[in-house]
Amino acid sequence: MTTPHGVGIGWRPEIAGFVAELPGLRFVEVIAESVPTAGPPPDDLVELRDRGVTVVPHGVRLSLGGAEPVDPARVAHLAAVAQLLAAPLVSEHIAFVRAGGLEAGHLLPLPRSHEAVDAVCANIVRAQAELPVPIALEPIAALFDWPDDELDEASFLNEIMERTGALLLLDVANVYANARNRGTDPLALLDRLPLERVAYLHVAGGAERGGFYHDTHTDPIGREVLDLLAELSARHRPPAALLERDGYYPPAAELRTELDAIAAACGFPVVT
Amino acid sequence: MTPAGTGPARRPEPPAATTAGSLAARQAELVAALVAGGPPPPGFAPGPLAAARAALLRKRAGEVARHWPLLAAGLGPDWPAAFIEWADGRPTGGGLRDGWDLARALHARAALPALAAEELAVREAQFRYDGHRAPRRRRSPALGRAGGAIAVQFAGRVRLLRPTRP
């Protein structure tokens, strides 16, 4: 399978019919943990793959940023899904999702400390040793920071990228959310990231609630996020950009409009 | 068939042997503060931490609604507040178990909506769930009851015998 190109969409069972009918689609993501490996992959994904659509397994529960070594069974599952779907790469997050025997239920930020960089790099290297394909790492949206950060975000991410040789999955909505909530300039961060290492982008909607911008994946993509996407593409056009929607699915026409807006911002052909 | 209790609240496992102040210990403290009612770890700004805690609860509510659509629909405008009130400080067992525990808790205090009672009866007939471990599919025929709803499962097929009376 070819690496991701053009506009993609996060494949979810609820919108499988919509995704199947996108005529120009060449790239989807599937939540890796949702794919069973004891048997054939879901029919919808097989049909997409048979059409030449690249399917990238996107892990959400490896907890690469956990202080403990990454669970070999979870890595083995991600590797098996990659093989099952003939994926050219997999992706995961720079985050942790569990600690002390408790599941957080979402991606949590690491302290931007040297100790945390060591821990996450050790886990990424452990995962890379078992994965049949490259891994792209996604920096997350965080509502809070740790009190004793030693590195700024760009130095933290660059250190991890350099030490692991991983690809970058840059989520434009996460960059926007973090900058807005911290009162920083998203372009200043983009200017310091290795944009040539971007395997693909994520784009998603969010909403303001209680004084914080939440990266919900259940709201429309805002103008500011699309503008940032266009700015990023003007600096270094990524190979691909993917719409993430995870609930409160709008009518098909609205999803098509969002996919077209992403295509326009990046200068990609429309897929709708 | 339906246990009357709410099931014991899930408690964190005893902490592994971690050095105080280590990354592992601090990550564990943070997660406990976010999902298990633990004290806020020192130094964190309280406002953003509270926002993250609330966002996690809303996300859990969405996951439970996917597993238990009739529970969420039955509670109508009280969803997701009813879930969030119940779940606050209670670590997740995943959307399936969280919804199951809430449905049983509501059933125990006769507050389970009729639609949700049918959903619960069907689940009780399909799966054996002890409130502690992941539900397991029943091999032998079983009845599930909740409120006035009765579901029967035979050879893996489930039928709702008696829907809940309005």
Side-chain angles (χ1 to χ4, degrees):
Chain A
M1 276 291 141
T2 55
T3 52
H5 278 91
V7 176
I9 186 166
W11 183 88
R12 308 287 184 265
E14 295 90 336
I15 52 170
F18 171 80
V19 175
E21 287 173 12
L22 288 170
L25 188 70
R26 293 171 61 194
F27 154 52
V28 297
E29 226 180 30
V30 60
I31 301 299
E33 286 82 355
S34 74
V35 180
T37 51
D43 289 346
D44 296 300
L45 292 176
V46 172
E47 281 164 29
L48 284 169
R49 209 190 47 189
D50 289 349
R51 261 174 60 191
V53 174
T54 297
V55 183
V56 174
H58 182 55
V60 295
R61 302 191 66 188
L62 268 194
S63 206
L64 287 170
E68 318 294 340
V70 64
D71 179 355
R74 292 183 187 276
V75 179
H77 182 266
L78 182 56
V81 173
Q83 238 147 13
L84 200 61
L85 297 170
L89 76 160
V90 298
S91 54
E92 245 290 355
H93 301 85
I94 299 173
F96 74 106
V97 303
R98 68 183 68 82
L102 284 177
E103 295 286 331
H106 197 56
L107 305 158
L108 296 178
L110 299 179
R112 292 194 295 270
S113 65
H114 296 289
E115 183 188 16
V117 169
D118 288 345
V120 72
C121 287
N123 274 335
I124 294 164
V125 169
R126 284 183 189 107
Q128 285 172 321
E130 304 302 321
L131 289 169
V133 291
I135 187 167
L137 300 174
E138 176 180 355
I140 63 165
L143 286 168
F144 61 88
D145 288 310
W146 288 68
D148 49 351
D149 289 339
E150 299 164 334
L151 302 162
D152 64 21
E153 182 153 30
S155 309
F156 173 74
L157 296 175
N158 283 328
E159 176 84 15
I160 295 168
M161 304 302 298
E162 276 167 31
R163 280 171 55 175
T164 62
L167 297 166
L168 184 57
L169 162 50
L170 193 56
D171 186 316
V172 178
N174 290 352
V175 172
Y176 171 77
N178 289 338
R180 177 160 160 179
N181 287 331
R182 291 179 187 139
T184 57
D185 178 6
L187 294 174
L189 175 64
L190 293 184
D191 284 338
R192 290 180 56 201
L193 292 181
L195 299 183
E196 71 286 353
R197 296 264 289 273
V198 170
Y200 59 100
L201 305 177
H202 273 171
V203 189
E208 170 96 22
R209 184 185 280 125
F212 292 88
Y213 180 85
H214 294 259
D215 175 53
T216 61
H217 298 191
T218 56
D219 292 279
I221 304 174
R223 172 47 51 192
E224 301 93 333
V225 171
L226 284 173
D227 288 347
L228 187 60
L229 178 62
E231 287 275 0
L232 170 59
S233 299
R235 279 164 163 74
H236 188 100
R237 189 195 290 180
L242 178 134
L243 171 65
E244 287 188 294
R245 183 82 187 203
D246 285 301
Y248 294 97
Y249 295 98
E254 281 176 43
L255 277 180
R256 278 196 288 270
T257 302
E258 295 210 323
L259 290 168
D260 291 350
I262 292 171
C266 299
F268 291 146
V270 296
V271 299
T272 56
Chain B
M1 303 276 157
T2 308
T6 60
R10 286 182 286 270
R11 285 286 125 214
E13 288 166 17
T18 52
T19 318
S22 68
L23 182 61
R26 298 180 67 214
Q27 287 185 339
E29 282 169 18
L30 177 64
V31 175
L34 288 172
V35 306
F44 282 84
L49 212 56
R53 197 161 148 263
L56 288 174
L57 285 167
R58 278 195 303 275
K59 181 165 188 250
R60 269 176 78 182
E63 280 160 19
V64 170
R66 272 197 286 283
H67 283 280
W68 296 82
L70 300 184
L71 175 62
L75 287 166
D78 293 334
W79 187 269
F83 173 79
I84 288 172
E85 185 194 6
W86 174 85
D88 195 5
R90 203 184 288 256
T92 185
L96 177 62
R97 285 179 58 192
D98 282 354
W100 207 313
D101 291 344
L102 172 60
R104 284 179 175 176
L106 292 173
H107 181 236
R109 50 177 217 253
L112 190 65
L115 268 177
E118 292 175 13
E119 191 172 44
L120 179 60
V122 167
R123 292 283 164 78
E124 299 284 4
Q126 277 177 311
F127 294 91
R128 186 184 306 279
Y129 175 44
D130 64 5
H132 301 278
R133 286 180 300 269
R136 293 168 61 180
R137 202 167 279 280
R138 293 181 188 274
R139 299 247 170 106
S140 44
L143 283 180
R145 294 174 205 264
I150 301 177
V152 62
Q153 177 266 126
F154 185 77
R157 303 169 73 115
V158 184
R159 284 184 60 188
L160 200 58
L161 282 190
R162 197 176 62 173
T164 321
R165 299 214 180 87

